[in-house]
Amino acid sequence: MPAVAGLGHVGIYTHDLFKMRDFYSRVMGLEITDEETEDRGIVFMSSNPEEEHHEFVLMKGRDVPEGSKMVQQISFYVNTLSELKQFHSVFKDEEVRIERTVSHGNAFGMYALDPEGNTIEVYYRTGFPVPQPCADPVNLEDAEELLLDQARSRIPA
């Protein structure tokens, strides 16, 4: 039986294509790989264009009332805990609404809202074998070793 090798990309409809384009390129650091903003109103973005042309797509035409739940969450991972902490600072500087910061044991996650209210997660994988669900509140301003000790403490004996 065939099986998928992984998730290729996610696309979402937007109310304000240019506001969302700015947020995901400037704040989140995704690179715009292609776009056609006049007729179709579509922007292709990637964190690594040499490897994947687009991982994320924005398209005009969201036609649901403000506040409608359409996306459970859009998650982006970083390679180091330091980068997650840097995103925490950037989000605070940019006045991005941070909903919560947690240790899942196997990862640290920061959940926030993009300009149109979609939940986004930026996370760092610890690699610790912690059963899920697990979501212990953390302060990402704490020292990295303290955070890692907290995650490590959830590894079953």
Side-chain angles (χ1 to χ4, degrees):
M1 173 175 213
V4 298
L7 179 63
H9 62 270
V10 172
I12 64 171
Y13 287 107
T14 70
H15 290 294
D16 186 335
L17 182 64
F18 291 100
K19 185 175 186 178
M20 296 288 276
R21 177 186 182 273
D22 175 68
F23 176 80
Y24 282 101
S25 63
R26 187 177 56 78
V27 177
M28 297 302 295
L30 294 176
E31 188 173 323
I32 298 168
T33 56
D34 275 313
E35 64 183 340
E36 191 287 294
T37 59
E38 294 303 314
D39 296 322
R40 286 193 65 202
I42 190 165
V43 179
F44 298 91
M45 308 178 103
S46 180
S47 64
N48 186 354
E50 285 74 39
E51 185 176 311
E52 191 71 45
H53 177 268
H54 61 277
E55 298 157 293
F56 192 59
V57 179
L58 298 170
M59 188 163 190
K60 69 180 180 182
R62 188 168 179 168
D63 61 1
V64 298
E66 292 285 335
S68 296
K69 290 184 178 186
M70 294 185 43
V71 175
Q72 189 268 331
Q73 73 185 41
I74 304 164
S75 298
F76 300 90
Y77 69 88
V78 293
N79 291 321
T80 67
L81 183 51
S82 175
E83 287 174 307
L84 178 60
K85 291 168 70 74
Q86 289 171 39
F87 264 109
H88 185 258
S89 293
V90 167
F91 280 17
K92 285 173 55 180
D93 291 346
E94 293 285 333
E95 298 180 359
V96 173
R97 184 171 157 196
I98 299 170
E99 298 279 282
R100 63 191 179 119
T101 55
V102 300
S103 168
H104 295 297
N106 65 356
F108 289 101
M110 176 176 58
Y111 297 84
L113 300 179
D114 76 9
E116 293 192 357
N118 299 300
T119 299
I120 58 173
E121 175 192 22
V122 180
Y123 70 98
Y124 164 69
R125 300 177 201 146
T126 65
F128 301 149
V130 175
Q132 298 302 303
C134 175
D136 299 325
V138 295
N139 180 351
L140 289 178
E141 294 176 358
D142 287 347
E144 288 188 23
E145 197 52 45
L146 181 67
L147 290 167
L148 291 169
D149 285 346
Q150 184 175 354
R152 199 176 286 115
S153 75
R154 298 290 272 166
I155 298 171

